[in-house]
Amino acid sequence: DYASSALTALTPLAITFGAIVLFQTLSHTPVLAWLVATLKSACQGHPIAEILLIGWTFGALIEGASGFGTPVAICAPILADLGHDKLLSVVTMLILNGLVTPFGAVGTPIWFGFSAIDNAGDEIWQEIAWRVEILLIFAAP
């Protein structure tokens, strides 16, 4: 049982390591500057489009891949570089990240949080996901 516990503990550690590698790669290569320039040209200076494209979609992509607040660490500086207020960029990213957190890190919060349920079939995971999403729909506005 110790081996099973050790492997269970390695899952969030491996995802966190991946998030750190992603952030360090973006920070130490010209990719981040290229990404900011590309997103800025795609939004054509519309602040709401910048927030939705960078904060919502790109942030959700990063949250799904690495989780653990990585979108806030990556997307808030991008929004600030595009001319948004720094504090509002962080607050906006925290709010937007909160909406996708249950499904972040490749579903780890739901999978890991409910892993103690014995004999859970696929139906229970789908039901949990739907209920969480409905809750988020009403909590978001």
Side-chain angles (χ1 to χ4, degrees), residues 19-81:
I20 292 169
V21 169
L22 173 66
F23 183 72
Q24 291 297 324
T25 302
L26 288 175
S27 297
H28 296 308
T29 62
V31 172
L32 193 57
W34 173 83
L35 184 63
V36 170
T38 303
L39 292 173
K40 188 172 186 175
S41 69
C43 295
Q44 299 176 352
H46 298 289
I48 302 298
E50 291 172 349
I51 290 171
L52 288 176
L53 184 64
I54 297 163
W56 179 253
T57 56
F58 185 60
L61 174 75
I62 295 172
E63 179 66 28
S66 61
F68 300 101
T70 308
V72 179
I74 293 175
C75 296
I78 291 174
L79 289 173
D81 284 347

Side-chain angles (χ1 to χ4, degrees), residues 51-132:
I51 290 171
L52 288 176
L53 184 64
I54 297 163
W56 179 253
T57 56
F58 185 60
L61 174 75
I62 295 172
E63 179 66 28
S66 61
F68 300 101
T70 308
V72 179
I74 293 175
C75 296
I78 291 174
L79 289 173
D81 284 347
L82 292 175
H84 295 270
D85 181 74
K86 293 176 183 176
L87 179 61
L88 290 177
S89 296
V90 172
V91 170
T92 300
M93 282 310 307
L94 286 170
I95 292 169
L96 292 175
N97 188 51
L99 298 175
V100 296
T101 298
F103 306 103
V106 197
T108 300
I110 289 179
W111 166 74
F112 197 70
F114 291 102
S115 63
I117 298 175
D118 291 329
N119 301 324
D122 290 339
E123 297 83 25
I124 194 166
W125 303 117
Q126 292 170 353
E127 184 65 27
I128 290 170
W130 277 109
R131 288 182 184 218
V132 167

